[in-house]
Amino acid sequence: MTYELTENETKAALTLVGCCLENMGGDRPSDLKYDPFTWVAPEDLIAAGWSRHEAAGTWNALLQKTVVQKYDSDFVLADWAWRYLDTVWDEKGGAA
């Protein structure tokens, strides 16, 4: 199955997965299967090189497409998103 993500949204989603993997010591998105803490934040995109303005727009697009979901007062990476990104991980070069 493919999802309608732009190139920028895919790069951002891969970046967010990379942040999750770094925090939990994983190597690829499927390692997140048993990680209940896939917390992400817009600041992760800024740290990866997006400007504040670019990060805000990209973040909102990821929210609209449910790649990122609100959980209490935080945000998490959706399960479907990291599962999909695992299928394109090697093709897209892993974390952007």
Side-chain angles (χ1 to χ4, degrees):
M1 179 174 239
T2 60
Y3 295 91
E4 296 296 324
L5 299 177
T6 67
E7 184 177 329
N8 180 59
E9 292 162 356
T10 300
K11 181 179 177 184
L14 288 167
T15 297
L16 295 175
V17 166
C19 291
C20 292
L21 292 172
E22 184 177 321
N23 290 335
M24 60 87 72
D27 295 317
R28 63 177 304 120
S30 59
D31 292 338
L32 297 173
K33 182 175 184 177
Y34 299 108
D35 185 357
F37 304 108
T38 57
W39 309 115
V40 291
E43 292 78 15
D44 296 330
L45 297 179
I46 295 167
W50 275 261
S51 71
R52 292 187 76 72
H53 181 75
E54 292 167 333
T58 302
W59 186 262
N60 284 329
L62 294 176
L63 278 170
Q64 287 179 337
K65 294 184 178 183
T66 70
V67 172
V68 171
Q69 298 173 339
K70 185 102 164 126
Y71 183 80
D72 291 329
S73 62
D74 295 306
F75 296 95
V76 296
L77 190 66
D79 285 350
W80 74 261
W82 65 255
R83 289 177 195 277
Y84 164 67
L85 292 167
D86 192 64
T87 68
V88 299
W89 186 256
D90 297 322
E91 170 191 342
K92 300 290 184 180

